Amino acid sequence: MPKNFITRGRSRTLTKHHKIAIAGVGALGAAALAFSAVPSSAETTTSEVAASTQQQVVAGSGKLENVKPSLTDQLAAASVKAEAIAAQQKAEAQAQAKAAAAKKAAAKKAAAAAAAKKAEAARKAKEAASRSAQRATIKKAAVKSYPNNLDGWIRESLDIMKKHGIPGSYNGIYRNIMRESSGNPMAINNWDINAINGVPSKGLLQVIPPTFKAYHVPGTSWNIYDPVANITAACNYAADRYGSMDNVNSAY
């Protein structure tokens, strides 16, 4: 079968690289035949042909080896891509960790601020309660207490008189009380002119009802037998008529 026929039929199915390889093998065969056929005087020519043929085979081999660099490049590109993805994932993880740390720090700061605010409110409430207690103590201390006896009645009456600008002394009041009622707040005179006229004198300083009503001092009882109210009204009347209860030495 002719050589050209075989080559032509195979070219329909073989790849370009296969064709190059076959051509190289054919060239080697041809070179071998040429070397055996020529005489020794043609050695130089045969060597040149062989060298030329070898170059063709090497050239053909080089074209086949070009497949390997292409696969290596693909693997390198895939490796670079994988490294880029890993770096991106690492950066995202670091960003998430940083955001979580910032959120935790913000929550801790907010909790500390809330605790400080609560402590401040508690401190203010405690101070307010303390001030209220102090005011209550001061107010209680300001409300002077007096014994429920002649000494206490006179002293309480003197304090009220002082607020209203009514003159009088302890001794002047005590002296007149002892003369008028002997210190009996329920004393009543049923025999003098006032009693005859239907308005008897009553209380510690023997005040008649019309006088008690006219000279009653605000803040005291309206009961004429009340010791403090009786003393204060009588001293107010004596101050208006005699200048002071200290100036009264007899019935007035």
Side-chain angles (χ1 to χ4, degrees):
M1 184 178 293
K3 181 179 180 180
N4 292 338
F5 179 79
I6 295 173
T7 304
R8 191 180 297 113
R10 289 182 179 179
S11 64
R12 295 177 182 177
T13 58
L14 297 178
T15 64
K16 184 178 179 182
H17 293 296
H18 290 163
K19 290 178 181 180
I20 295 170
I22 293 169
V25 173
L28 287 173
L33 289 174
F35 182 80
S36 62
V38 298
S40 58
S41 61
E43 182 177 357
T44 303
T45 304
T46 304
S47 298
E48 290 176 355
V49 173
S52 176
T53 304
Q54 185 177 5
Q55 289 177 356
Q56 293 178 3
V57 174
V58 171
S61 300
K63 290 181 180 179
L64 290 173
E65 290 174 356
N66 286 339
V67 177
K68 293 182 179 180
S70 176
L71 180 59
T72 303
D73 291 342
Q74 292 178 5
L75 291 175
S79 178
V80 171
K81 186 175 181 181
E83 290 178 357
I85 293 173
Q88 183 179 0
Q89 290 177 346
K90 183 178 180 181
E92 290 177 354
Q94 289 177 345
Q96 290 177 357
K98 186 176 181 181
K103 186 176 180 181
K104 185 177 180 181
K108 186 176 181 180
K109 185 177 180 181
K117 186 176 180 180
K118 184 177 181 180
E120 179 65 13
R123 183 186 65 80
K124 289 182 178 179
K126 186 176 180 180
E127 289 181 353
S130 178
R131 287 193 296 268
S132 297
Q134 289 176 354
R135 285 194 295 268
T137 301
I138 293 172
K139 185 176 180 181
K140 185 177 181 180
V143 179
K144 191 175 180 179
S145 60
Y146 305 90
N148 188 27
N149 54 32
L150 181 58
D151 178 73
W153 301 332
I154 294 174
R155 294 186 183 283
E156 184 176 356
S157 182
L158 283 170
D159 287 339
I160 296 173
M161 290 165 57
K162 183 178 181 180
K163 292 178 181 179
H164 292 275
I166 301 171
S169 67
Y170 185 96
N171 290 333
I173 295 172
Y174 179 82
R175 174 169 47 82
N176 280 284
I177 287 175
M178 297 309 294
R179 185 187 68 252
E180 294 292 335
S181 66
S182 300
N184 179 12
M186 303 302 296
I188 181 171
N189 187 329
N190 290 316
W191 54 268
D192 66 1
I193 188 62
N194 290 321
I196 294 172
N197 293 332
V199 284
S201 301
K202 300 177 180 180
L204 290 175
L205 284 171
Q206 293 293 285
V207 183
I208 61 175
T211 300
F212 176 81
K213 184 177 180 180
Y215 290 93
H216 174 266
V217 177
T220 61
S221 172
W222 280 96
N223 182 358
I224 195 171
Y225 290 106
D226 180 85
V228 176
N230 188 280
I231 293 172
T232 308
C235 288
N236 192 24
Y237 165 74
D240 182 51
R241 186 167 183 179
Y242 303 103
S244 172
M245 182 60 75
D246 296 344
N247 299 326
V248 177
N249 295 300
S250 61
Y252 59 105

